Amino acid sequence: MSLQSPPITTAIQLLTLNLGDNQNIGTTNGKIALDCSVRKTRQGHVCISTTDFFFPLVDSPYLQGRIGAANVLSDLYAEGVGECDFMLMLLAACRDMTESDREICTREMVRGFN
């Protein structure tokens, strides 16, 4: 006898953050947000956060920064956020690169992210 498991989408929909503070406003009925989290602060503001890590997808540091910015905004849009006041970029550079190459790549990724 085998047990039938619900489809993965049903299983994900059943997950909740269960924080007990009624501040889960990111998705319908406080379910887990897969792209970002949306939380109400004690002051009544809304804090939206998303963090993604990925390795370079293209050879251009500038384009990599553009891809990173687009990825952040798409996570926010997926949760229905229409406006973004600021974004924080977490950037790491390989220590095996020369200092000059690291400086150029870092500068260009930040320029692309802006």
Side-chain angles (χ1 to χ4, degrees), residues 61 93-109:
C94 179
R95 294 187 333 199
D96 293 338
M97 297 169 70
T98 66
E99 186 175 335
S100 175
D101 286 346
R102 218 174 20 247
E103 183 180 312
I104 291 168
C105 286
T106 300
R107 181 183 63 236
E108 288 302 300
M109 279 195 266

Side-chain angles (χ1 to χ4, degrees), residues 29-92:
N29 298 324
K31 304 294 182 192
I32 289 178
L34 298 178
D35 287 319
C36 66
S37 67
V38 182
R39 301 266 303 152
K40 202 178 265 188
T41 67
R42 289 178 295 216
Q43 295 80 18
H45 300 285
V46 176
C47 180
I48 304 163
S49 64
T50 179
T51 306
D52 292 307
F53 295 93
F54 48 93
F55 292 95
L57 305 170
V58 293
D59 290 333
S60 166
Y62 173 79
L63 288 178
Q64 183 66 31
R66 300 292 291 168
I67 291 168
N71 187 60
V72 169
L73 289 173
S74 72
D75 287 354
L76 298 178
Y77 295 153
E79 291 301 319
V81 176
E83 296 179 14
C84 178
D85 293 326
F86 69 93
M87 292 190 289
L88 173 64
M89 177 186 199
L90 304 174
L91 173 66

